[in-house]
Amino acid sequence: MAHPIVAIIGRPNVGKSTLFNRIIRKPLAITDDRPGVTRDRNAHEFEWNSRTFMLVDTGGYVLSTSDFMEQAVSEQSRLAIDEADVVLFIADVRNGITDMDNDIARLLRKSGKPVVLGIAKVDTTRYENEIYEFYNLGLGEPLPISGKTGFGSGDLLDRIVELLPSEEEMEEGENDEAVRIALIGRPNVGKSSIVNSISGANTVLVTDVPGTTRDAIDTRLVIDDQEVVLIDTAGLKRATKLKESLDYYSSLRTIRTLERCDVAIAVIDIDEGLTSYEKRLISDVEDAGKGLVLAANKWDLIEKDTMTMKRFETEIFDDIPDKAVYPVVFTSALTGQRVRKLLEKALEVNAKRHKRVKTSDLNDFVETLPHPPGSGDVRIFYATQYDVAPPSFAFMVNDEKKVKDNFARFVENCLRKEFDFEGTPIRLSFKRRGRARE
Ligand code: GDP
Ligand code: GDP
């Protein structure tokens, strides 16, 4: 089920990032068992009062020194209003209400979107009376908070959870057998063209399916008896000339799209390869635990000799060899070349993402697993697969503290070699044997 999106907005320097970091560090945040997850993330899956949502920080996209700061803040507020299920609007108690706060508040009131108003930097009781002024924003009760001390964050989260769409609403139109495939990537790489090419070659269903109101641009069709929903993130709903707004928009939009899909097709322009943008996208897909196929599009523009495809394939993953687990299909939306294959690959990846390995096979695997050099006296006793989509494994070991990243990666690579999880992230966790019974 897709998780609702909560976006934090507000002027630069009001304390958004500090609050975000404070909240996600809470012990209730879902812990990350995956090796090597240290990069900065601006979106975090978070659980509070038994509800899970994605908390998205927008801090950092607009610098207070930017010449276009005001324009950027208002654009990003609009985008957040479009994409988020609940907006967390932060103002700074030490500045009072500024003109820009008023502008954002006006947008929010007009939108009718659920809003939680947090007044930041209330570290001491000295400021408590000053929060009443913020009633004038017309957004309901201002909640005093401090990212620095953590004051007020529990009440703030309670309020957010109250305003989230219900689980039934989130499930609307999702509890069918269709496989959801999302096309993601930079503008102009050919996402819409690929959707059009697929739609042209297949029968598109025009049934009135509930839930499509959330995203009117979904395309529903049947491929080999399998119902497929294509989710196209193309076509910025609002034109924007500001680079940081575009980055912010794609990030928010992508997070939301990824929540809704089973498999993502990351479309890249073959001429440009994997830029830092696509590398980030791959990490986003992995974080969301969804399947991934790369479409190296505009293949028709490439001068080919027989070696070309193989060469491209190696070059694409040159500096990120770990990501070579994701298949690449060379497509041309223009001629339709391999567009069918792209879809088939996505369905194949979906099946692998749902694969369940028999416990006996898994334990045969553990028994024959070589002991890699440098892994000390880590011993694996047995393993279980406790989930699918993505496949998730727990390994019982003598001492989980001795399990280092490279050991975990080694086990992951061996698992992949043995059971073929092409195109899907897998989750590994290491636990001390018997601890659950202690
Ligand atoms: P953002 O631009 O809205 O994300 O703001 P930041 O979180 O980066 O914070 C901007 C500045 O305000 C930094 O210097 C923070 O140290 C400071 N700050 C943030 N939260 C608090 C707080 O709760 N209390 C105090 N006293 N300072 C804070
Ligand atoms: P989107 O923004 O990612 O949805 O990209 P579009 O589908 O709108 O395509 C952007 C431009 O690239 C359009 O002019 C397309 O005609 C062109 N285009 C898309 N796919 C291909 C392709 O496979 N080959 C060539 N030569 N052009 C393509």
Side-chain angles (χ1 to χ4, degrees):
M1 179 177 68
H3 297 128
I5 308 287
V6 177
I8 311 180
I9 65 168
R11 291 180 291 119
N13 290 321
V14 294
K16 297 183 296 298
S17 310
T18 308
L19 179 73
F20 176 79
N21 288 324
R22 154 73 57 176
I23 291 177
I24 60 175
R25 230 185 291 122
K26 290 236 162 178
L28 263 176
I30 290 168
T31 54
D32 214 339
D33 280 324
R34 279 164 289 159
V37 184
T38 46
R39 70 200 177 79
D40 271 357
R41 301 173 63 192
N42 70 335
H44 226 276
E45 196 174 306
F46 185 78
E47 188 186 317
W48 187 258
N49 290 352
S50 308
R51 283 301 304 276
T52 306
F53 55 91
M54 297 298 291
L55 187 64
V56 186
D57 175 27
T58 66
Y61 282 99
V62 182
L63 301 173
S64 46
T65 51
S66 157
D67 292 343
F68 303 104
M69 194 228 324
E70 294 188 13
Q71 199 186 339
V73 168
S74 72
E75 269 201 38
Q76 296 189 1
S77 304
R78 277 180 224 273
L79 299 172
I81 290 168
D82 277 354
E83 297 294 331
D85 295 291
V86 173
V87 178
L88 174 55
F89 174 29
I90 304 295
D92 183 342
V93 76
R94 298 172 192 211
N95 299 137
I97 297 177
T98 67
D99 288 350
M100 218 184 293
D101 291 337
N102 269 319
D103 291 346
I104 299 172
R106 198 172 311 122
L107 287 175
L108 285 167
R109 287 195 308 266
K110 220 166 74 190
S111 76
K113 228 349 91 125
V115 181
V116 176
L117 174 60
I119 309 305
K121 306 191 189 177
V122 185
D123 310 342
T124 65
T125 47
R126 183 161 94 72
Y127 289 104
E128 272 178 17
N129 286 327
E130 293 179 29
I131 70 157
Y132 296 106
E133 172 196 352
F134 292 89
Y135 271 104
N136 293 326
L137 289 172
L139 294 169
E141 187 190 349
L143 299 177
I145 47 171
S146 164
K148 208 170 218 168
T149 67
F151 169 70
S153 55
D155 290 344
L156 187 82
L157 288 165
D158 284 348
R159 181 72 62 84
I160 290 171
V161 167
E162 278 167 23
L163 296 178
L164 292 177
S166 69
E167 295 189 348
E168 292 72 33
E169 276 173 85
M170 293 305 297
E171 266 177 2
E172 223 180 69
E174 281 192 11
N175 44 0
D176 56 25
E177 295 300 306
V179 177
R180 295 186 154 65
I181 300 174
L183 286 108
I184 56 177
R186 276 177 297 151
N188 289 321
V189 288
K191 298 181 295 298
S192 313
S193 304
I194 289 176
V195 171
N196 290 340
S197 166
I198 294 170
S199 308
N202 296 277
T203 311
V204 175
L205 305 180
V206 281
T207 49
D208 185 23
V209 180
T212 48
T213 44
R214 278 174 65 85
D215 285 80
I217 46 176
D218 291 357
T219 307
R220 196 172 270 264
L221 36 90
V222 177
I223 316 272
D224 293 342
D225 294 335
Q226 171 64 60
E227 206 167 314
V228 169
V229 176
L230 297 177
I231 307 168
D232 180 6
T233 56
L236 293 187
K237 266 193 264 173
R238 297 172 191 281
T240 171
K241 287 186 228 57
L242 297 173
K243 188 187 170 297
E244 56 263 293
S245 290
L246 185 61
D247 288 349
Y248 167 59
Y249 176 86
S250 5
S251 138
L252 195 60
R253 193 85 212 266
T254 305
I255 289 159
R256 200 168 91 104
T257 304
L258 287 177
E259 279 301 316
R260 297 181 55 231
C261 77
D262 300 299
V263 180
I265 292 176
V267 184
I268 60 180
D269 188 321
I270 187 134
D271 233 13
E272 294 171 60
L274 296 182
T275 68
S276 56
Y277 181 86
E278 279 84 17
K279 288 175 189 167
R280 161 116 210 183
L281 264 190
I282 294 176
S283 297
D284 285 341
V285 178
E286 289 179 329
D287 288 346
K290 304 305 171 92
L292 174 65
V293 179
L294 299 175
N297 193 41
K298 307 198 185 180
W299 179 244
D300 56 285
L301 296 180
I302 299 290
E303 295 272 354
K304 300 166 196 75
D305 56 63
T306 46
M307 283 301 290
T308 309
M309 208 184 291
K310 197 73 218 159
R311 206 181 67 228
F312 269 114
E313 217 164 315
T314 12
E315 276 173 12
I316 275 185
F317 296 117
D318 232 8
D319 55 339
I320 43 169
D322 283 359
K323 312 299 181 195
V325 300
Y326 301 111
V328 185
V329 181
F330 297 84
T331 56
S332 168
L334 201 67
T335 66
Q337 194 183 13
R338 284 190 218 92
V339 170
R340 170 93 191 177
K341 167 136 190 253
L342 180 65
L343 262 184
E344 285 165 1
K345 205 63 184 168
L347 292 175
E348 214 178 291
V349 164
N350 181 57
K352 287 174 186 167
R353 183 169 171 266
H354 285 89
K355 183 188 279 192
R356 204 177 272 281
V357 178
K358 278 204 302 225
T359 303
S360 56
D361 291 346
L362 203 52
N363 285 309
D364 287 348
F365 165 79
V366 166
E367 241 161 65
T368 54
L369 190 67
H371 200 76
S375 58
D377 54 357
V378 181
R379 269 199 64 198
I380 300 177
F381 297 110
Y382 59 92
T384 51
Q385 181 177 355
Y386 63 91
D387 212 351
V388 294
S392 307
F393 301 88
F395 289 85
M396 301 300 151
V397 294
N398 52 341
D399 186 353
E400 80 280 8
K401 288 194 194 69
K402 289 186 180 155
V403 176
K404 301 282 183 287
D405 276 7
N406 53 358
F407 180 73
R409 207 163 297 133
F410 171 79
V411 175
E412 172 169 347
N413 290 340
C414 293
L415 256 183
R416 286 185 178 282
K417 220 172 272 167
E418 183 73 24
F419 300 111
D420 184 9
F421 290 110
E422 185 190 34
T424 177
I426 57 181
R427 303 273 192 258
L428 267 56
S429 62
F430 295 88
K431 297 190 165 63
R432 191 188 298 252
R433 179 172 67 165
R435 197 174 52 175
R437 271 174 267 129
E438 275 165 16

